[in-house]
């Protein structure tokens, strides 16, 4: 039993020895387990440090880039604000300039218009007083104040000036003014009549008749000129044409009736002339001249 026990110990010792021998052989083959583990562990620690260094470098680089962007933003920020502020000031100045110019224009316009009205009123007063030369001058100043404006008021002022020009005997200028008014309204009866009167005074009867206004007056004026030229037949024709279109124009009708009686007297038909003068006296009343004509014509017929 002891032997067996001793052998068993020996055997166990042998096994331990063998195991230790095997371990030594393994360490010899592998270069030593402890040093190998040390090298292996050292390698793992080296890689971790490198990664940490790279991470630190990347973090440092990101930090620097972020600081650079912030610095750039700080540098650009004020200039942008200045540009924005400068643009705002420019717009404000432009708006102020527009307001000042428009306001100034409005004030000048108002001042000119006020002066225009004052001059026009004075000019019309001169016209109504028969001071035609002063009316022409004053109304012309009013027209100049109006400038290129051609509203209803300016047309009235221009019409008053045209009448003053006609009254003063400046038919060419009056005609020009009336023609200017006709450009704004070709069918206006007042403007047409103004043109016709001027043409009639210039003895341009055909052009005046083409306007289709004041035709009876034009024929009456034609008859007067023909009587003075001793063209009695022509004058009688003109009178009769005038009577055909005289309408309600009593003044012209009276002139034409008188001219007709005179023309028959000039033609030697005293009976016809006496009849016409008596009709005239009955219709329009008598005067010294008509009474003399009737007395003369009655004497010629033996009816004293």
């Amino acid at each position: 039993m002891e032997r067996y026990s001793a052998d068993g110990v020996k055997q166990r010792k042998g096994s331990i020895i063998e195991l230790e021998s095997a371990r030594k052989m393994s360490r010899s083959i592998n270069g030593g387990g402890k040093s190998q583990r040390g090298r292996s562990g050292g390698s793992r620690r080296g890689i971790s440090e490198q990664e940490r260094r790279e991470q630190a470098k990347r973090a440092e680089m990101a930090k620097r880039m972020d600081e650079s962007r912030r610095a750039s933003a700080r540098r650009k920020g004020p200039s942008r604000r200045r540009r924005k502020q400068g643009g705002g000031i420019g717009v404000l100045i432009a708006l102020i300039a527009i307001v000042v110019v428009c306001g100034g224009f409005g004030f000048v316009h108002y001042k000119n218009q006020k002066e225009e009205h004052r001059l026009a009123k004075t000019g019309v007063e001169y016209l109504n007083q028969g001071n035609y030369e002063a009316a022409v001058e004053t109304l012309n100043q009013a027209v100049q104040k109006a400038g290129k404006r051609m509203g209803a008021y300016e047309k009235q002022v221009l019409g008053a000036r045209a009448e003053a020009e006609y009254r003063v005997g400046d038919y060419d200028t009056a005609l020009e003014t009336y023609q200017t008014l006709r450009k704004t309204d070709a069918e206006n009866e007042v403007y047409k009549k103004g043109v016709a009167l001027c043409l009639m005074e210039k003895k341009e009867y055909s052009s005046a008749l083409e306007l289709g206004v004041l035709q009876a007056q034009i024929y009456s004026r034609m008859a007067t000129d023909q009587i003075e030229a001793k063209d009695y037949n022509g004058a009688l024709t003109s009178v009769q044409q005038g009577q055909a279109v005289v309408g309600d124009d009593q003044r012209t009708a009276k002139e034409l009736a008188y001219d007709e009686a005179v023309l028959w007297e000039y033609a030697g038909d005293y009976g016809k002339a006496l009849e016409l003068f008596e009709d005239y006296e009955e219709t329009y009343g008598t005067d010294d001249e008509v009474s003399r004509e009737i007395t003369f014509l009655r004497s010629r017929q033996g009816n004293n």
Side-chain angles (χ1 to χ4, degrees), residues 217 220 250-260 280 284:
Q217 291 185 37
S220 177
Q250 293 300 310
R251 178 177 177 179
T252 303
K254 182 179 178 180
E255 293 175 353
L256 290 170
Y258 184 89
D259 288 342
E260 183 183 20
Y280 178 92
Y284 302 108

Side-chain angles (χ1 to χ4, degrees), residues 19-285:
L19 180 59
E20 183 68 21
S21 177
R23 288 176 178 173
K24 289 181 179 179
M25 187 177 293
S26 176
R27 286 196 297 270
S28 177
I29 291 171
N30 294 321
K34 186 178 181 180
S35 62
Q36 181 68 25
R37 285 194 301 272
R39 286 195 296 271
S40 176
S43 174
R44 286 195 296 273
R45 287 193 298 273
I47 292 170
S48 177
E49 290 174 0
Q50 182 178 357
E51 289 177 351
R52 285 196 296 272
R53 285 195 296 271
E54 289 178 354
Q55 290 175 359
K57 287 180 181 180
R58 287 195 293 271
E60 182 67 21
M61 185 178 295
K63 182 180 179 180
R64 290 179 180 178
M65 290 177 65
D66 186 57
E67 290 178 352
S68 177
R69 285 194 296 270
R70 290 180 180 178
S72 176
R74 285 194 297 272
R75 288 192 300 271
K76 291 180 179 179
S79 63
R80 289 178 179 175
R81 285 194 296 274
R82 283 194 295 272
R83 285 198 296 273
K84 288 181 180 180
Q85 291 170 358
I89 292 172
V91 171
L92 179 60
I93 291 172
L95 289 173
I96 291 172
I98 290 170
V99 170
V100 170
V101 170
C102 292
F105 175 78
F107 176 75
V108 171
H109 174 75
Y110 169 77
K111 186 177 180 181
N112 284 341
Q113 194 171 50
K114 186 176 181 181
E115 182 65 8
E116 175 195 354
H117 289 189
R118 186 190 69 80
L119 290 167
K121 181 179 179 181
T122 303
V124 170
E125 289 175 356
Y126 284 138
L127 180 62
N128 292 334
Q129 294 167 7
N131 190 350
Y132 303 127
E133 291 182 356
V136 169
E137 182 179 355
T138 307
L139 290 168
N140 189 54
Q141 291 175 4
V143 170
Q144 290 174 352
K145 284 291 180 183
K148 293 182 179 181
R149 290 196 309 274
M150 189 56 75
Y153 185 82
E154 284 70 31
K155 290 179 183 179
Q156 290 178 1
V157 175
L158 204 59
R161 191 190 75 177
E163 183 178 350
E165 290 165 344
Y166 174 83
R167 297 286 185 180
V168 84
D170 190 354
Y171 304 123
D172 289 330
T173 304
L175 177 61
E176 183 179 350
T177 303
Y178 278 122
Q179 293 286 30
T180 298
L181 287 167
R182 283 202 71 204
K183 290 178 182 179
T184 67
D185 186 359
E187 297 306 315
N188 186 289
E189 287 289 311
V190 174
Y191 304 156
K192 280 186 177 182
K193 289 178 179 179
V195 172
L197 287 170
C198 293
L199 290 172
M200 189 167 58
E201 294 295 342
K202 289 165 62 65
K203 300 186 185 303
E204 298 179 17
Y205 300 120
S206 296
S207 298
L209 287 169
E210 290 176 359
L211 293 168
V213 294
L214 304 180
Q215 291 190 319
Q217 291 185 37
I218 296 168
Y219 283 122
S220 177
R221 181 63 63 85
M222 288 175 61
T224 299
D225 290 347
Q226 290 165 331
I227 290 171
E228 291 179 357
K230 300 186 183 324
D231 180 9
Y232 302 129
N233 290 332
L236 185 58
T237 299
S238 296
V239 166
Q240 291 171 345
Q241 288 175 326
Q243 288 174 329
V245 295
V246 70
D248 296 331
D249 186 356
Q250 293 300 310
R251 178 177 177 179
T252 303
K254 182 179 178 180
E255 293 175 353
L256 290 170
Y258 184 89
D259 288 342
E260 183 183 20
V262 169
L263 285 167
W264 282 109
E265 182 181 340
Y266 288 163
D269 191 337
Y270 299 135
K272 180 69 173 177
L274 177 60
E275 179 183 346
L276 292 173
F277 269 119
E278 288 175 343
D279 289 342
Y280 178 92
E281 185 179 45
E282 182 178 351
T283 304
Y284 302 108

